[in-house]
């Protein structure tokens, strides 16, 4: 996963107020706006106790709950600094619990984890009214969406919606397939998920360009979704839960191969910090442990991180603070343009929850 979406945040100086809040507009909630504001009041008190300045708290207050147009269950991540909004991101799922943090670095790891696995896909639902229409008047309707899972749940991707006379469908399906291919190329999709009428979708799949046809799978069920939510959302949830993006899987395979031959890889927090200090990390692999007590010392620059205060001071850093390890690692990755792969622990348990694939092996010693 590339973390370029965080670059604007780290270009701003801290300290930062970081807020994760459940802002769901679920039908089961009688007054969602009032519920959001009640949760925010509790968080505001927590921010104050952490030493947040009044301007930063005011900036958060003016932002939380601003996603009233997003239906269903979801959340918000809000980051402010010096009284200004630094970053706002919609969360595909509510946070496990509402949290705040005020410190030198923004608490970005919960946001990063919600962006994973970041699977680029094309969803297509083919409706056919021919079962109760004449051949002359029936229509085939194609709904399609290109997106990245799971972000599409709260940030809809590019949509296509066309209706074609059923008598023209056999010949028109090829043209629709080429149009879908053009949209899919925008994000280099890895999976095409097709639902709907068996006859109509079968014709479309057979006429898809080869690049798409080889990635197509069919799922049963209807494709209708709530406005503002992902097309085929429930089917995509079942399909993608627990799955890694193909790009991340390929990086993990390289890491495992390098580890097997004592090559350009390392595990453990100390090894990761050492490699990040020297800009040698190509990809960092992380088991998500939000409860981890591990901490690092950091300075103003991304590469200024260390296990101890004394080590960081020995490099001439004077402005420093102690932060959560995953928070410090995230900033270092963004600053060095390295990638991050969130690895499910059942897939691979890493030493201290962290491993690195290096840009090059050290011929003299091993990390």
């Amino acid at each position: 996963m590339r973390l370029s979406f965080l670059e604007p945040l780290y270009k701003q100086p801290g300290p930062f107020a970081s807020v994760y809040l459940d802002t769901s507009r679920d039908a089961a909630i009688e007054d969602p706006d009032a519920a959001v504001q009640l949760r925010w009041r509790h968080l505001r008190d927590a921010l104050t106790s952490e030493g947040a300045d009044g301007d930063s708290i005011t900036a958060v207050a003016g932002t939380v709950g601003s996603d009233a147009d997003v239906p269903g269950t979801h959340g918000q991540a809000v980051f402010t600094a010096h009284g200004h909004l630094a970053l706002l991101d919609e969360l595909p799922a509510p946070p496990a619990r509402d949290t705040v943090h005020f410190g030198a670095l923004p608490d970005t790891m919960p946001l990063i984890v919600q962006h994973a696995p970041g699977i680029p896909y094309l969803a297509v639902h083919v409706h056919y009214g021919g079962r109760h229409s004449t051949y002359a008047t029936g229509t085939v309707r194609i709904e399609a969406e290109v997106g990245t899972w799971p972000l599409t749940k709260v940030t809809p991707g590019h949509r296509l919606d066309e209706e074609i006379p059923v008598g023209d469908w056999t010949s028109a399906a090829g043209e629709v397939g080429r149009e879908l291919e053009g949209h899919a190329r925008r994000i280099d999709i890895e999976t095409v998920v097709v639902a709907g009428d068996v006859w109509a979708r079968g014709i479309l799949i057979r006429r898809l360009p080869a690049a798409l046809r080889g990635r197509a799978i069919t799922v049963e069920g209807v494709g209708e979704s709530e406005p503002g939510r992902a097309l085929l959302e429930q089917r995509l949830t079942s399909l993608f839960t627990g799955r890694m993006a193909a790009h991340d899987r390929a990086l993990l395979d390289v890491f495992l191969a390098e580890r097997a031959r004592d090559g350009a890889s390392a595990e453990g927090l100390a090894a990761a910090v050492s490699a990040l200090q020297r800009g040698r990390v190509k990809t960092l692999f992380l088991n998500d442990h939000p409860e981890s007590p591990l901490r690092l010392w950091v300075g103003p620059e991304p590469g200024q991180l260390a296990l101890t205060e004394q080590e960081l001071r020995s490099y001439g850093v004077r402005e420093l603070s102690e932060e959560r390890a995953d928070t410090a690692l995230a900033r270092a990755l963004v600053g060095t343009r390295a990638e991050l792969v969130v690895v499910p622990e059942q897939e691979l348990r890493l030493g201290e929850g962290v491993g690195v694939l290096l840009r090059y092996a050290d011929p003299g010693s091993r990390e």
Side-chain angles (χ1 to χ4, degrees):
M1 180 194 306
R2 295 176 176 86
L3 303 179
S4 55
F5 67 96
L6 292 175
E7 288 178 0
L9 177 61
Y10 289 110
K11 288 179 180 178
Q12 305 179 56
F16 296 88
S18 306
V19 176
Y20 290 89
L21 181 68
D22 182 348
T23 54
S24 297
R25 262 67 184 187
D26 195 294
I29 303 175
E30 184 176 344
D31 189 343
D33 292 324
V36 169
Q37 290 306 312
L38 178 61
R39 286 194 288 268
W40 160 236
R41 283 198 292 273
H42 293 308
L43 294 182
R44 182 182 58 199
D45 294 340
L47 265 182
T48 300
S49 67
E50 290 197 14
D53 60 280
D55 288 342
S56 291
I57 293 175
T58 299
V60 176
T63 305
V64 293
S66 60
D67 56 351
D69 59 328
V70 180
T73 57
H74 61 279
Q76 273 187 318
V78 183
F79 304 90
T80 67
H82 304 287
H84 299 286
L85 179 66
L87 182 69
L88 171 64
D89 206 291
E90 299 301 324
L91 303 176
R97 60 187 181 89
D98 295 341
T99 61
V100 297
H101 173 72
F102 185 74
L105 298 183
D107 181 19
T108 56
M109 193 54 67
L111 172 59
I112 292 170
V113 170
Q114 287 235 20
H115 274 243
I119 299 174
Y121 71 93
L122 167 64
V124 184
H125 187 225
V126 186
H127 307 256
Y128 172 41
R131 293 289 181 264
H132 39 74
S133 302
T134 67
Y135 185 76
T137 61
T139 60
V140 174
R141 181 185 171 207
I142 305 92
E143 287 184 284
E145 181 174 55
V146 174
T148 302
W149 186 262
L151 295 183
T152 324
K153 291 200 288 185
V154 290
T155 308
H158 181 79
R159 283 280 187 120
L160 172 71
D161 194 336
E162 293 190 6
E163 195 165 304
I164 296 169
V166 67
D168 298 335
W169 177 235
T170 301
S171 58
E175 183 179 343
V176 171
R178 288 188 292 274
E179 187 175 359
L180 291 173
E181 182 184 36
H183 293 305
R185 283 177 177 170
R186 296 178 180 184
I187 61 170
D188 192 22
I189 61 102
E190 66 178 67
T191 303
V192 181
V193 183
V194 186
D197 179 82
V198 174
W199 172 80
R201 80 186 186 199
I203 290 176
L204 176 63
I205 291 173
R206 287 194 296 272
R207 285 161 175 75
L208 286 175
L212 294 187
R213 190 167 60 249
R215 302 176 188 180
I217 60 172
T218 58
V219 295
E220 301 306 317
V222 297
E224 288 82 357
S225 61
E226 202 173 351
R229 303 290 295 195
L231 180 67
L232 299 177
E233 182 173 332
Q234 291 185 349
R235 300 303 172 188
L236 296 177
T237 298
S238 299
L239 185 64
F240 292 147
T241 296
R243 174 169 159 179
M244 295 178 67
H247 177 74
D248 289 353
R249 168 65 64 184
L251 288 171
L252 181 60
D253 288 344
V254 174
F255 170 78
L256 293 173
E258 291 291 336
R259 188 177 71 167
R261 65 183 186 88
D262 289 341
S265 69
E267 282 187 67
L269 187 59
V273 168
S274 175
L276 284 166
Q277 287 171 339
R278 292 176 284 165
R280 291 184 56 204
V281 175
K282 177 180 180 181
T283 307
L284 185 138
F285 301 88
L286 188 73
N287 296 143
D288 180 34
H289 289 155
E291 76 292 346
S292 173
L294 295 175
R295 312 278 289 185
L296 290 173
W297 286 86
V298 301
E301 301 300 323
Q304 294 175 340
L305 71 168
L307 298 176
T308 66
E309 178 182 4
Q310 292 76 14
E311 180 188 0
L312 200 56
R313 289 194 184 279
S314 72
Y315 300 146
V317 180
R318 295 292 174 259
E319 298 179 25
L320 41 78
S321 62
E322 191 179 26
E323 300 287 339
R324 283 182 54 95
D326 56 7
T327 296
L329 293 174
R331 184 188 66 162
L333 292 173
V334 174
T336 57
R337 300 291 179 88
E339 293 192 59
L340 174 70
V341 175
V342 179
V343 183
E345 201 161 32
Q346 63 269 23
E347 182 85 27
L348 176 65
R349 180 172 293 182
L350 297 158
E352 293 185 293
V354 62
V356 289
L357 177 64
L358 306 175
R359 299 184 192 277
Y360 55 88
D362 186 341
S365 62
R366 189 164 188 269
E367 296 289 337

